[in-house]
């Protein structure tokens, strides 16, 4: 039996750990073993959080075919007027991803960022707070609770972007905050309209109320959901709302870019899934046919992201535009509204997060050695072989080259589009993937085929333990590409809880 404390405990643990992280770092700075102490601290935190999430999952799945649980703070069935937490297979799947990816990126951050820097303790405290906010968002059972947790997450994102405090990062953070304020205004307006029409912000209550809304109120309800979807589309960087993302990721320190691309970006897709599939419902079962508009936005996002990536000279910015393109591939999966599409989307959550995190982690190492542009990367395949191999794995996974995880992710997504009679969208996805492969191979050619500017070896300036989290990501992308059933078994319960899907797996 799941209790409310089981849901709150991992979130509360991360909040308490965030508060304690600053004094722990102050003590660690006085020791010769600063990195060891801070690494052990984060491993201990995530061991506790992992145990909490595992216990929650085991409690929930202790019965066959468990129902969706919507709990208020008293642990009882949620009232339409109360803030609530929701437990189902989807929220648990997302929570597992958040915890697993967070610990790897944070360990990387410990080796990347000089622990003696001012505000380092606060930086890691914010990363923990951001993780707690993301867990709160995926466990939210109503639109207001979701909004509050997501706003906490966006505030944390702005701090991570501003850590270096240079002109570029300040400009990027300002652009991000302006877009977030606009998005928040859209969402708040939509929430007020939904509450006025349905009398609730609870996911289940809204979904049930939609079928009884009068024809006079239906146009206003549609407008409300358009505002909500538009707000979260801005934060998901869907074209034409993508302008903030390339600057944000390019200006952020590598650990921040890895964290944001792997978790915050993926969280945005989760919100769209929760709203479109669990509240509004698919066409034929809900009041709005949202698939046509979403398919157009998916096509534009894939095309724009890949074309802009093709012309980039800065490697980090190139990867940022690949992140924009990946948003489009995720939208294909949502648009298909099939079991295979949902499977592809959830698989893409994990593989896309791992791949973008790996790319930014390797680029962080390159940037620290003065390698920022394609010209700088000439010949580094021989000078920095391990970093180069990791970046190639990320690039090939992005392009959907077998046997890496990105291949299976795109296979699921494109097959689902064809199955749902969106063959034209699958064709665009395949063509843009070919374009993606072309500029990834251009990068590989520069790294291995072009002669370096000089023959001097590159002295490695960083802690070599930084390769541990990097190659954990490499191994995960390779293993999950060869054995996708490891993840598909976690996804199947999500499919089982959506009765309008025909089970295809």
């Amino acid at each position: 039996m799941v209790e409310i404390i089981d849901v709150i405990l991992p979130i509360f643990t991360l909040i308490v750990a965030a508060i304690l992280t600053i004094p722990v770092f102050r003590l660690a700075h006085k020791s010769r073993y600063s990195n060891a102490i801070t690494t052990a601290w984060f491993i201990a935190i995530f061991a506790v959080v992992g145990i909490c999430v595992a216990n929650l999952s085991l409690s929930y799945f202790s019965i066959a075919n468990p129902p969706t649980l919507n709990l208020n703070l008293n642990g009882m069935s949620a009232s339409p007027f109360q803030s609530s937490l929701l437990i189902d297979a989807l929220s648990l799947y997302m929570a597992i991803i958040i915890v697993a990816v967070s610990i790897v990126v944070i360990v990387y951050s410990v080796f990347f960022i000089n622990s003696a820097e001012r505000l380092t303790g606060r930086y890691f405290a914010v990363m923990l707070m951001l993780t707690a906010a993301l867990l709160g968002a995926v466990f939210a059972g109503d639109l207001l609770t979701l909004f509050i947790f997501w706003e906490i997450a966006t505030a944390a994102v702005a701090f991570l972007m501003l850590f270096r405090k240079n002109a570029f990062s300040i400009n990027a953070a300002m652009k991000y905050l302006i877009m977030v304020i606009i998005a928040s205004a859209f969402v708040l307006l939509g929430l007020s309209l939904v509450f006025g029409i349905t009398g609730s912000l609870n996911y289940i209550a809204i979904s049930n109320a939609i079928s009884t809304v009068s024809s006079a109120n239906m146009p206003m309800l549609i407008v409300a959901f358009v505002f909500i979807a538009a707000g979260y589309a801005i934060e998901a960087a869907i074209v034409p709302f993508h302008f903030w993302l390339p600057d944000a990721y390019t200006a952020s320190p590598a650990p921040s870019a890895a964290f944001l691309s792997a978790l915050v970006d993926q969280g945005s897709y989760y919100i769209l899934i929760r709203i479109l599939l669990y509240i509004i419902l698919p066409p034929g079962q809900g009041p709005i046919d949202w698939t046509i508009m979403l398919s157009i936005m998916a096509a534009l996002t894939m095309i724009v992201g890949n074309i802009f990536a093709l012309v980039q000279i800065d490697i980090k910015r190139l990867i940022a535009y690949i992140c924009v393109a990946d948003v489009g591939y995720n939208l294909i999966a949502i648009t298909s509204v099939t079991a295979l599409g949902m499977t592809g989307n959830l698989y893409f959550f994990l593989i896309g997060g791992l791949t973008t995190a790996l790319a930014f982690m390797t680029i962080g190492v390159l940037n620290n050695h003065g390698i920022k542009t394609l010209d700088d990367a000439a010949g580094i395949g021989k000078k920095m072989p391990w970093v180069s191999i990791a970046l190639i794995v990320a690039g090939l996974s992005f392009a959907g080259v077998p046997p890496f995880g990105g291949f299976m992710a795109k296979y699921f997504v494109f097959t689902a589009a064809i199955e749902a009679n969106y063959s034209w969208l699958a064709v665009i996805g395949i063509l843009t993937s070919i374009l993606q492969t072309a500029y990834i191979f251009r990068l590989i050619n520069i790294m291995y085929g072009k002669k370096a500017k000089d023959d001097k070896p590159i002295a490695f300036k960083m802690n070599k333990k930084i390769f541990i989290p990097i190659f954990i990501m490499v191994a995960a992308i390779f293993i999950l590409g060869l054995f996708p059933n490891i993840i598909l078994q976690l996804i199947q319960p999500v499919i089982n809880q959506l009765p309008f899907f025909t089970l295809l797996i």
Side-chain angles (χ1 to χ4, degrees):
M1 180 66 180
V2 175
E3 303 289 342
I4 193 70
I5 187 64
D6 297 327
V7 188
I8 294 175
L9 195 56
I11 302 171
F12 181 75
T13 300
L14 285 165
I15 293 172
V16 172
I19 295 170
L20 295 176
T21 290
I22 296 175
V24 167
F25 264 71
R26 287 175 181 166
L27 292 173
H29 290 166
K30 300 175 182 178
S31 171
R32 293 170 51 195
Y33 307 102
S34 176
N35 279 348
I37 293 171
T38 52
T39 303
W41 168 247
F42 289 122
I43 290 174
I45 293 168
F46 279 94
V48 174
V49 173
I51 290 170
C52 292
V53 172
N55 175 67
L56 176 59
S57 301
L58 292 173
S59 299
Y60 179 73
F61 288 110
S62 61
I63 60 173
N65 301 316
T68 297
L69 300 179
N70 207 316
L71 306 173
N72 63 22
L73 292 179
N74 295 322
M76 306 298 289
S77 296
S79 160
F81 303 100
Q82 291 177 317
S83 291
S84 59
L85 297 176
L86 180 142
I87 310 302
D88 64 0
L90 177 60
S91 61
L92 288 171
Y93 175 80
M94 290 299 297
I96 291 168
I97 290 176
I98 289 169
V99 172
V101 176
S102 291
I103 180 58
V104 179
V105 177
I106 287 178
V107 169
Y108 167 86
S109 305
V110 170
F111 297 126
F112 184 89
I113 295 176
N114 183 358
S115 61
E117 284 189 56
R118 194 173 68 87
L119 303 181
T120 301
R122 296 181 191 180
Y123 179 86
F124 285 100
V126 170
M127 291 187 89
L128 292 175
M129 195 66 73
L130 175 53
T131 307
L134 292 173
L135 284 179
V138 300
F139 285 137
D142 62 273
L143 291 172
L144 181 59
T145 304
L146 170 65
F147 177 79
I148 291 170
F149 275 116
W150 198 253
E151 291 305 297
I152 295 171
T154 56
V157 168
F159 180 88
L160 295 182
M161 289 168 57
L162 282 168
F163 180 66
R164 296 297 187 194
K165 290 186 178 179
N166 55 46
F168 186 30
S169 65
I170 292 171
N171 179 64
M174 288 298 296
K175 184 182 292 187
Y176 171 75
L177 288 173
I178 290 169
M179 295 299 289
V180 165
I181 290 169
I182 294 172
S184 299
F186 282 168
V187 172
L188 280 175
L189 179 57
L191 294 183
S192 65
L193 292 174
V194 168
F195 185 80
I197 295 169
T198 65
S200 177
L201 292 176
N202 183 275
Y203 296 158
I204 296 174
I206 294 172
S207 184
N208 293 335
I210 284 176
S211 59
T212 62
V213 171
S214 66
S215 57
N217 284 331
M218 187 56 70
M220 189 57 67
L221 185 64
I222 292 173
V223 170
F225 279 114
V226 167
F227 275 117
I228 294 172
Y232 288 118
I234 291 172
E235 299 192 17
I238 298 172
V239 172
F241 309 116
H242 68 289
F243 299 106
W244 63 268
L245 186 146
D247 284 350
Y249 287 2
T250 306
S252 301
S256 299
F259 201 88
L260 304 185
S261 63
L263 296 175
V264 179
D265 236 12
Q266 310 306 317
S268 302
Y269 311 142
Y270 163 81
I271 294 172
L272 290 175
I273 283 182
R274 185 64 78 180
I275 292 173
L276 296 175
L277 294 182
Y278 285 78
I279 300 177
I280 302 178
L281 301 179
Q285 301 200 23
I288 307 170
D289 186 354
W290 43 263
T291 55
I292 297 296
M293 179 57 69
L294 203 65
S295 65
I296 293 171
M297 296 175 79
L300 288 174
T301 303
M302 289 185 293
I303 293 169
V304 171
N306 280 299
I307 288 177
F308 275 87
L310 179 65
V311 299
Q312 296 307 310
I313 296 174
D314 185 283
I315 303 174
K316 197 173 185 182
R317 196 171 184 83
L318 183 152
I319 299 298
Y321 273 107
I322 293 179
C323 291
V324 173
D326 272 2
V327 175
Y329 298 122
N330 267 296
L331 293 182
I332 293 179
I334 300 175
T335 301
S336 67
V337 195
T338 63
L340 191 58
M342 186 68 166
T343 300
N345 195 262
L346 296 180
Y347 188 80
F348 218 122
F349 275 164
L350 178 58
I351 296 300
L354 294 176
T355 306
T356 54
L358 174 61
F360 283 116
M361 287 159 72
T362 56
I363 288 169
V365 176
L366 294 177
N367 286 174
N368 260 24
H369 292 81
I371 300 166
K372 298 183 178 181
T373 67
L374 294 176
D375 288 340
D376 295 335
I380 66 163
K382 297 177 181 178
K383 291 188 174 185
M384 302 182 72
W386 296 113
V387 178
S388 300
I389 289 171
L391 183 56
I392 289 170
V393 169
L396 295 179
S397 184
F398 276 131
V401 176
F404 303 106
F407 169 75
M408 291 305 303
K410 288 189 175 181
Y411 171 80
F412 290 137
V413 167
F414 297 152
T415 306
I418 295 170
E419 177 187 283
N421 297 320
Y422 280 100
S423 299
W424 64 272
L425 197 54
V427 170
I428 292 175
I430 293 169
L431 291 176
T432 54
S433 292
I434 293 172
L435 179 62
Q436 204 169 56
T437 305
Y439 61 72
I440 291 297
F441 274 100
R442 180 187 66 177
L443 174 61
I444 295 172
N445 177 60
I446 290 170
M447 292 166 62
Y448 286 92
K450 285 196 173 182
K451 189 176 180 181
K453 293 179 181 179
D454 57 63
D455 295 328
K456 295 179 181 178
I458 297 176
F460 198 76
K461 303 174 183 177
M462 305 177 71
N463 189 332
K464 291 187 178 180
K465 291 180 182 177
I466 202 167
F467 287 114
I468 296 174
I470 287 176
F471 277 92
I472 286 174
M473 294 294 196
V474 170
I477 291 169
F478 185 72
I479 291 170
L480 295 180
L482 291 176
F483 306 103
N485 280 335
I486 296 172
I487 302 303
L488 298 184
Q489 290 175 358
L490 297 176
I491 295 173
Q492 187 60 54
V494 180
I495 309 301
N496 293 342
Q497 288 188 339
L498 290 170
F500 50 82
F501 282 158
T502 302
L503 302 183
L504 299 176
I505 302 175

